[in-house]
């Protein structure tokens, strides 16, 4: 299990900064406990970055992320940080 920093998220996938050693095409489990969201995702891209964590681009396979809940939460309590956990 590894905690990752979310860069960008949509209903279909997420981009995260994460050192998990996965390759394009592999599947990972994704969890965002803030929204009770759990899904399997396919690694669609991995970008190595000099002196920084790699960027992983993941496509959700069996769920869609509830972005409407995220926007409602931000509007009611201000900007919030949401953690994503990945397991290969």
């Amino acid at each position: 299990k590894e905690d990752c920093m979310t860069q960008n998220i949509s209903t279909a996938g997420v981009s995260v900064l994460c050192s998990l050693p996965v390759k394009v095409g592999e599947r990972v489990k994704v969890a965002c406990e803030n929204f009770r969201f759990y899904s399997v995702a396919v690694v669609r891209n991995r970008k190595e970055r000099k002196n920084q964590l790699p960027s992983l681009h993941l496509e959700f396979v069996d769920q869609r992320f509830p972005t409407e809940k995220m926007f409602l939460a931000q509007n009611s309590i201000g900007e919030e940080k949401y953690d994503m956990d990945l397991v290969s």
Side-chain angles (χ1 to χ4, degrees):
K1 177 179 173 182
E2 179 151 346
D3 291 330
C4 301
M5 179 188 286
T6 303
Q7 289 186 298
N8 196 345
I9 193 162
S10 71
T11 57
V14 64
S15 172
V16 294
L17 300 178
C18 185
S19 63
L20 198 66
V22 294
K23 297 177 183 172
V24 172
E26 288 188 291
R27 290 177 181 248
V28 295
K29 293 179 185 176
V30 179
C32 181
E33 293 186 13
N34 298 75
F35 295 102
R36 294 185 177 102
F37 176 77
Y38 307 93
S39 180
V40 172
V42 176
V43 179
R44 293 298 182 197
N45 196 6
R46 178 186 177 95
K47 293 182 183 176
E48 298 295 332
R49 301 162 357 124
K50 189 175 181 177
N51 300 320
Q52 296 179 13
L53 288 172
S55 177
L56 300 178
H57 302 270
L58 310 173
E59 179 183 2
F60 303 132
V61 173
D62 57 354
Q63 298 291 325
R64 297 188 71 71
F65 189 83
T67 54
E68 66 283 352
K69 289 182 182 178
M70 182 177 65
F71 295 126
L72 289 173
Q74 285 178 346
N75 288 336
S76 65
I77 59 175
E79 191 169 325
E80 185 79 25
K81 177 182 175 251
Y82 302 111
D83 294 325
M84 288 279 174
D85 296 324
L86 297 184
V87 178
S88 64

